[in-house]
Amino acid sequence: MAPTKLLRPLLICALLTLPALITRLAGIHAPPLVALLLFGAAVVAASFVLAWAAEAAQVDISGGLAIAILAVIAVLPEYAVDLYFAYTAGSDPTYVAYAAANMTGSNRLLLGLGWSLVVLIGLALVRRRTGRTVRELVLNSGYRMELGFLAIASLVAMAIPVTGQISLLLGFALLGLFGFYLWKMAHTEAEEPHLVGPAARIGALPQRARRITVVVLFAFAAAVILASAEPFAHGLIATGRQLGIDEFLLVQWLAPLASESPEFIVAILFAVRGKGDDAIGTLISSKVNQWTLLIGTLPIAYLLGGGGTGGLQLDARQIEEFLLTAAQTLLGVAALLALRFPRWAAWSLLGLFAVQFVLPGQSARYVLCGVYLALALAALIHNRRHIVPTLAAPFRAPGRSSSSPDATSAPAR
């Protein structure tokens, strides 16, 4: 392996983080738009480094330790920004809106855009490769457990729009569910990691060099993200105010798009290489993390910031956003109950995700909730025999099937 093939992408990412690090260490107060661009680029670049290191670490770390480390690492870029908003909300209540916006935006972006694109790309490539039309992507049977956890977490999180707050008690309950999820995943059968790109090159290094490289990359990326989270968040809000753009929308969509871009790219690469079920499986796991670890830590960060034990109190707009996010998640889970992701579901999720930008008003959000729930009800009725097995999957004896059917095994309908 030529060293330059590994060094080139790492060097590019390091160079992209350099202006932000110099600005932060030198105490320079850049204009809001400049700060947004500098620190946003640093977060994205560090996210790529983090993703490559996390994937390569699977070569050396197995079992529960790997799952625990990778679960936290995978969401660190997004969490650094959102937890900063929640922590600051403890002393400045206006930041509650930003914490809610970042969380709901990242959730809807992951499912509405990420899941849909991965499925549509996977099915299109199957059609090009085989010459036949395939209308659904088939998932490995082991993913039923992750889907069950997502379904349970989504039902528990429905307490948020009902009560109008993210309470400390709910936070601990979701963190407990996340801990149980890690424990169950730790007892599943280990699988050989499928590494691509820079992660594969790191994984191919000699053992000692690989481990040192992974540790150094972890430390570097984490330091960059932690140093950039606060000025990036401030830059988002200040830029929105200067340009007359709703800062709520900037926090809701631009920040999650920056922090989740590496994850999207990894999933799309899996789909391009014919591993559509691995791509969706990766995004399902990320969704579980968002609905448990992310939401669960928000009231704790709020408490540490001086906000008290009452939890984050949401206003009407934020309640609507949580309700819309929960309705979208319900449709995603309902469509996947049979472990088959149909083309109609992918187009529906993508289309409804796009509609919210064309019709952003309060009435439109409620109409979208109704559409999501109506489609989810239809999918639940169609997949009704899979509801109980899915909800029971997290509590059954662990184990993952070694077979992994891809989209080519799905019947044309």
Side-chain angles (χ1 to χ4, degrees), residues 4-155:
T4 54
K5 289 187 177 181
L6 174 59
L7 291 176
R8 187 181 299 116
L10 294 178
L11 183 60
I12 292 173
C13 288
L15 290 175
L16 287 173
T17 66
L18 197 57
L21 291 177
I22 293 174
T23 301
R24 187 67 195 271
L25 293 175
I28 300 172
H29 297 284
L33 182 57
V34 175
L36 173 63
L37 295 175
L38 287 181
F39 292 103
V43 168
V44 172
S47 299
F48 275 98
V49 174
L50 207 54
W52 296 333
E55 287 185 90
Q58 298 177 67
V59 176
D60 295 301
I61 306 174
S62 59
L65 181 60
I67 295 164
I69 293 175
L70 296 180
V72 174
I73 287 172
V75 294
L76 180 59
E78 176 190 339
Y79 286 14
V81 176
D82 208 8
L83 291 181
Y84 168 75
F85 284 135
Y87 178 83
T88 307
S91 56
D92 184 352
T94 60
Y95 275 74
V96 173
Y98 301 137
N102 193 255
M103 181 270 157
T104 55
S106 62
N107 260 272
R108 298 216 295 275
L109 187 69
L110 180 64
L111 200 154
L113 186 62
W115 287 25
S116 303
L117 286 182
V118 164
V119 171
L120 295 175
I121 290 173
L123 295 180
L125 290 173
V126 170
R127 181 176 183 179
R128 177 180 296 180
R129 188 169 64 246
T130 65
R132 64 188 179 92
T133 300
V134 179
R135 298 183 180 179
E136 55 189 13
L137 184 76
V138 180
L139 274 69
N140 184 309
S141 61
Y143 287 120
R144 186 172 298 283
M145 184 173 69
E146 284 95 323
L147 193 62
F149 272 107
L150 178 57
I152 293 170
S154 301
L155 291 174

Side-chain angles (χ1 to χ4, degrees), residues 344-393:
W344 71 262
W347 279 116
S348 297
L349 288 169
L350 185 60
L352 291 172
F353 177 77
V355 165
Q356 66 186 323
F357 296 102
V358 181
L359 304 172
Q362 180 187 55
S363 299
R365 282 192 289 273
Y366 281 121
V367 170
L368 279 176
C369 283
V371 175
Y372 275 125
L373 292 175
L375 291 174
L377 179 61
L380 286 171
I381 293 173
H382 180 73
N383 296 324
R384 58 190 177 278
R385 68 187 182 91
H386 300 289
I387 296 176
V388 173
T390 299
L391 293 175

Side-chain angles (χ1 to χ4, degrees), residues 156-157 159-160 163 165-179 289-303 309-312:
V156 172
I160 296 173
T163 61
Q165 65 173 342
I166 309 176
S167 69
L168 197 60
L169 179 61
L170 177 64
F172 283 122
L174 290 173
L175 288 178
L177 183 60
F178 177 72
N289 290 336
Q290 287 182 336
W291 275 110
T292 55
L293 183 59
L294 176 56
I295 298 179
T297 51
L298 290 182
I300 297 176
Y302 178 73
L303 174 64
T309 59
L312 284 83

